[in-house]
Structure formats: structure tokens, C-alpha cells
Amino acid sequence: MINVALLGMGNIGLLYDYNKQDTNRAYSHAKAIYLHKEFDLKYVVDPSDKNIGLLKDLFPNVKYLNSYELLDTSNIDILVIAAPTNLHFEILNYFKNSNIKLFLVEKPLFYNKNEYENLDNFFKDKLVVNYMRRFQEPLIKLREEIRNDKFGLINKIILNYVKGLKNNGSHFIDLINFLFDSPEIISSSILDSSLGFSEEDLTYDIFIKIKYKNKIVPIHFISHDHTKYNIIEFKLYFEKQVIEYINSKQKISYFNINESIEYKGYNFIDENTSYENNISKKLIYNVYEELYLHLEKNKTITSSYKDELSNFKFIEKILENK
């Protein structure tokens, strides 16, 4: 059994779903740990105990602590950090040289360059950052299809997002790096902004050019006000197909491109999908499955510190022109 300590009983830690009757869904760490037979939640740490009753419905014997400094790490294999980003560096530093095998940290890892530069080497092969879409089979499959040129050249990428470039926008930056092998940014321009995750993390309209397989590819980040609606989606325009991901549907849709019968010489995107692939509702469960395979079968981590550093450098490059 792999023992876990969870820091944070907020949304992603617990509240996105804690109904133990629904075994097909895991949008929170607590539910994912509950569903995975190889993991056991030993400790939960949060300044407030107001949600402990909900957690104990899943884990009757979990021990509650109001400070991570009270945590006994002697029998902890994985520490999950679902606390606010501005506390991540402080928390990690406290557990330097502990016997903890892995640290699963919510994205983004840090907000500022100084913290990335001063992270102790102890953590760099023990960190997993929870970009949970990286762990989903449909996106892993899409990555391989792109690498194998199944759809021809990529022509354009359009992204719609809310709640901050560093917060929610980092999911898309991670996906760009994941799907297109950390491409080089040729240029970037910030065009406008919308309400962000905070005053320090606005949601920007951005035009970027990347280089992928010797081709310059434009990317449009389109910002939206999350108080009006929540939107997280992308479209990838390839030579042979258009691929769409809509977060609210948890689905990847493939559309063929065909020459029009009526208008010779004109190519149109099919109205109906040629293929659809659903993202699992057990989103975070898939993350824990990979942690299990890493610890027990030496599987390479798919969302490492090195991957997160690429994401941070991508954001840093964008914000150079702010």
C-alpha cells in the first residue's frame, strides 16, 4: 500500500467530488485516492477542519492536522500539495531531505522565477505537477498521431480560456509543450486582457508564433471573463483534419476536410465529426495510476519538474512584452 498525505481540503483537494457512490468520477485528489486500491490516505492537513466530515466519509481513519509542520513523514510515500500556489515553495522547502518519495503538486508549481531558480536539487526528480490532461489516453494518443504526421502539417492553433494565464492558461501552455514537443517561441504579442485569476494574473489575448518541424505556426490565445462564462477549449487546424477539444464536454472531436462538391477548388471542414474520443471522468485517478506505475514499475513520469520548467519559460517569454 502506498501511503499519502494531502495538504488542502479545498476544491481540487476534496470538494469537486466526494460522493463515494459515484465510482466513475474522480475530479479531486481525495476521490482519486479513495478509488485507487493501491493508495491509502493517512493524513490530511488544512488550517480549517470544516470539511473534515466530508473527507471522513471516504476515509474514516484519516488523521487531521492543522499544520504541515505536525506531519510525521516516516510512513508517507507521497505528499500531495493542493494548497495555494504562493505557499508551494515554502511547503516544499520544509520537507527537504525527508524520506518522501514523490511530491504531487497542483499547477502552476510556482509564480516567480526566483522560486524556480532556488528549488533544491532534492526535489527535481521527485516532483510531479498535476497537469492532469497529460495523463489522459485520448491526449496521449493525439500526441503520437501528431508526432507521426497523421494529419499533415499544423497550420494554426486557437485557444479559448479564462481565469489567468498562469492559472488556467498554463493548462494550454502545458498541452502545447506536450503535444508539440516544447516548440521554440519565435515571437509573441499581448493584444488585450480580461479579468484574471487575480490582479497579478490576468487573462491575456495573445498572438504567438512557434516553430514546429521547421514550420512557423500561429497560436491565438483568446481570453474571456470567467464571471460571464467558463470556457476552456482549443482547435488545432491541420492540413487533413481539424481537431477540437471542449472541456465542458470532456471530449476530443476530429473533423475531416473535404473538397466541396458544389464549389470546386474549395475545401470545407465537415459539419459532423469523423471520430470522437471521450476524456475519462476519472481525471485525477489516471494521475495516481501513473504515480503507482512509477513507484512500482519504474515508469517515467509524464509531468515532471523539467516539463514544468518548460511551461514557466513559455509564460516568461510571453510576459516579456507585457
Side-chain angles (χ1 to χ4, degrees):
M1 191 66 74
I2 298 169
N3 294 329
V4 183
L6 171 63
L7 273 62
M9 285 193 292
N11 288 333
I12 197 71
L14 171 66
L15 299 178
Y16 280 145
D17 71 311
Y18 52 84
N19 177 8
K20 66 183 181 182
Q21 304 303 322
D22 186 352
T23 57
N24 294 313
R25 170 177 162 145
Y27 290 169
S28 67
H29 289 283
K31 184 68 172 294
I33 297 165
Y34 172 77
L35 290 177
H36 202 298
K37 64 181 181 180
E38 301 294 341
F39 291 88
D40 186 28
L41 185 62
K42 292 289 187 182
Y43 299 95
V44 63
V45 181
D46 197 286
S48 169
D49 66 353
K50 68 177 182 178
N51 296 321
I52 192 64
L54 300 174
L55 187 70
K56 286 208 168 187
D57 191 40
L58 297 173
F59 301 96
N61 298 318
V62 69
K63 186 171 182 179
Y64 166 74
L65 304 170
N66 62 12
S67 171
Y68 60 80
E69 295 177 355
L70 301 174
L71 188 61
D72 175 10
T73 62
S74 62
N75 67 338
I76 295 300
D77 300 299
I78 298 176
L79 180 65
V80 180
I81 301 176
T85 300
N86 64 329
L87 299 177
H88 288 180
F89 185 82
E90 171 192 315
I91 293 169
L92 284 169
N93 225 32
Y94 184 82
F95 293 101
K96 184 171 65 175
N97 299 322
S98 68
N99 63 345
I100 295 172
K101 296 174 184 175
L102 284 177
F103 297 83
L104 175 58
V105 187
E106 275 305 311
K107 57 79 199 164
L109 180 59
F110 304 127
Y111 275 147
N112 65 70
K113 185 177 181 179
N114 183 59
E115 291 175 334
Y116 282 94
E117 290 178 342
N118 288 285
L119 181 67
D120 195 274
N121 287 331
F122 170 78
F123 297 102
K124 292 183 180 178
D125 62 351
K126 296 178 172 64
L127 270 173
V128 183
V129 183
N130 187 28
Y131 290 101
M132 52 195 166
R133 291 170 183 83
R134 271 186 183 249
F135 301 85
Q136 310 308 313
E137 190 57 40
L139 284 161
I140 295 169
K141 180 174 181 281
L142 175 59
R143 182 193 195 195
E144 291 308 308
E145 290 171 333
I146 293 171
R147 284 181 163 185
N148 294 327
D149 296 319
K150 180 176 180 178
F151 315 117
L153 294 173
I154 178 71
N155 291 317
K156 186 167 291 192
I157 301 171
I158 296 179
L159 310 155
N160 291 281
Y161 77 112
V162 294
K163 295 194 78 172
L165 177 66
K166 295 178 182 178
N167 188 57
N168 271 4
S170 65
H171 277 299
F172 278 142
I173 288 166
D174 183 69
L175 278 178
I176 291 167
N177 281 327
F178 179 64
L179 295 174
F180 298 98
D181 299 318
S182 299
E184 177 188 358
I185 298 179
I186 302 303
S187 65
S188 68
S189 302
I190 294 176
L191 308 176
D192 203 350
S193 65
S194 300
L195 188 66
F197 182 70
S198 66
E199 290 184 5
E200 292 76 35
D201 183 22
L202 296 179
T203 312
Y204 295 102
D205 291 284
I206 310 162
F207 178 67
I208 301 171
K209 290 182 180 179
I210 62 168
K211 188 175 185 180
Y212 180 68
K213 293 188 174 181
N214 296 316
K215 185 177 189 300
I216 304 302
V217 182
I219 305 177
H220 298 262
F221 277 75
I222 301 172
S223 72
H224 300 270
D225 181 347
H226 67 269
T227 64
K228 294 182 171 61
Y229 40 76
N230 190 55
I231 181 168
I232 302 173
E233 59 190 40
F234 68 65
K235 276 192 177 181
L236 308 177
Y237 291 84
F238 291 92
E239 284 181 302
K240 300 174 185 176
Q241 281 195 314
V242 172
I243 299 168
E244 180 181 62
Y245 167 75
I246 297 179
N247 186 66
S248 60
K249 294 181 179 180
Q250 289 297 312
K251 183 179 292 185
I252 299 176
S253 301
Y254 294 69
F255 299 84
N256 288 333
I257 300 171
N258 291 303
E259 184 176 359
S260 171
I261 297 172
E262 296 87 358
Y263 303 101
K264 293 296 181 183
Y266 287 86
N267 294 331
F268 288 91
I269 301 167
D270 283 355
E271 186 175 331
N272 298 314
T273 60
S274 62
Y275 176 70
E276 292 183 337
N277 212 340
N278 291 320
I279 302 292
S280 170
K281 290 184 178 179
K282 295 169 76 172
L283 273 173
I284 301 187
Y285 178 92
N286 293 41
V287 180
Y288 282 86
E289 176 63 13
E290 181 148 322
L291 299 186
Y292 166 72
L293 292 174
H294 173 71
L295 291 175
E296 300 297 325
K297 311 289 183 182
N298 294 316
K299 185 180 186 295
T300 302
I301 287 294
T302 195
S303 188
S304 66
Y305 173 75
K306 182 180 177 182
D307 297 318
E308 170 64 351
L309 197 56
S310 294
N311 295 337
F312 175 74
K313 288 178 179 178
F314 199 111
I315 291 173
E316 196 175 38
K317 181 73 174 176
I318 290 170
L319 296 179
E320 278 180 5
N321 300 319
K322 192 171 89 168

